[in-house]
Amino acid sequence: MSRAVRVTVRGSFDGLSEAQMASLVAVAGEHDFMNTQYTAEGYLAYDLPGRPFFTFRFAEEAADADEVPQAAVRAQIKAEEWMAERGYPIKNVTVQAVDMAEVPLGKRGRREASRQ
């Protein structure tokens, strides 16, 4: 049985050119920072030109708890490659992985689980 892992990769754009900034601002509606969806491809969110920060959210899988760190590394590599392919310089990259099997159920989740 695989485990769902949510990976958040955060960082800063580092010295974007005016053309790069304009390109990102032009499609900013597709990268709403208030959106919190996690996808296999990664969901990029930012709020340029107000803030130089970005967040990528990835839905990864791990066979067991020992593989969660590798899922985090995979997501970081995907994010860094995506930025590099487009020529966006970045810095201060951090990664956080959450094994969803370890997240406690809320009241509604416990109620639904008890029905099964």
Side-chain angles (χ1 to χ4, degrees), residues 80-103:
E80 290 174 346
E81 286 178 348
W82 191 94
M83 293 292 192
E85 287 170 4
R86 288 153 182 82
Y88 298 137
I90 59 173
K91 65 180 181 180
N92 302 327
V93 175
T94 62
V95 182
Q96 178 184 17
V98 176
D99 181 349
M100 297 308 290
E102 300 295 323
V103 175

Side-chain angles (χ1 to χ4, degrees):
M1 182 169 130
S2 67
R3 300 165 84 95
V5 180
R6 289 185 174 178
V7 183
T8 305
V9 180
R10 291 185 175 91
S12 300
F13 291 105
D14 185 25
L16 293 172
S17 69
E18 287 184 30
Q20 289 171 321
M21 177 72 81
S23 174
L24 286 166
V25 169
V27 295
E30 299 170 21
H31 302 282
D32 181 14
F33 72 96
M34 296 298 286
N35 191 334
T36 59
Q37 64 181 311
Y38 288 80
T39 66
E41 313 78 47
Y43 179 82
L44 173 62
Y46 54 83
D47 186 22
L48 292 173
R51 300 179 189 132
F53 309 111
F54 67 85
T55 302
F56 254 111
R57 293 180 177 93
F58 291 92
E60 289 281 335
E61 290 192 10
D64 56 43
D66 293 337
E67 290 187 14
V68 171
Q70 288 120 352
V73 170
R74 285 193 306 269
Q76 180 176 356
I77 290 169
K78 286 182 199 176
E80 290 174 346
E81 286 178 348
W82 191 94
M83 293 292 192
E85 287 170 4
R86 288 153 182 82
Y88 298 137
I90 59 173
K91 65 180 181 180
N92 302 327
V93 175
T94 62
V95 182
Q96 178 184 17
V98 176
D99 181 349
M100 297 308 290
E102 300 295 323
V103 175
L105 293 175
K107 184 177 180 180
R108 180 176 175 188
R110 287 190 302 270
R111 185 175 52 239
E112 290 179 15
S114 69
R115 291 181 188 163
Q116 296 176 3

